[in-house]
Amino acid sequence: MIESSITVKGQTTLPKAVRDSLAVKAGDKVRYVILEEGVLILPVQPTSRLFRSLEYDGPAVSLEDMDRAVAEGATEG
């Protein structure tokens, strides 16, 4: 079990094992989700980390093709 203390200002330091598990470093943000069972701590992924994460290696698509696909998707359902 990993523990840390709360300061008079309500602050705590995430222990190294927790930081390593969340893959966070100084300056990163975490999100707290309050559940009935306790609190879940999740790393916040900045959008800059998402850059090029969804590679598309298919043929080039025009804006008109994209608009058409969006319109078709909106009418399905």
Side-chain angles (χ1 to χ4, degrees):
M1 180 178 297
I2 301 169
E3 297 178 354
S4 63
S5 298
I6 306 294
T7 69
V8 294
K9 291 184 174 184
Q11 300 171 334
T12 189
T13 299
L14 292 177
K16 183 172 181 351
V18 174
R19 294 190 312 267
D20 291 347
S21 177
L22 295 173
V24 295
K25 60 185 184 327
D28 287 349
K29 294 185 179 209
V30 293
R31 179 172 290 130
Y32 301 92
V33 181
I34 300 173
L35 306 170
E36 286 184 26
E37 305 83 24
V39 178
L40 180 63
I41 302 174
L42 300 169
V44 175
Q45 298 295 329
T47 54
S48 61
R49 287 190 185 172
L50 299 175
F51 182 70
R52 301 189 71 91
S53 64
L54 299 174
E55 292 286 334
Y56 176 74
D57 61 358
V61 180
S62 70
L63 289 176
E64 291 80 17
D65 290 338
M66 287 186 232
D67 288 340
R68 189 175 314 107
V70 168
E72 289 172 4
T75 59
E76 292 178 2

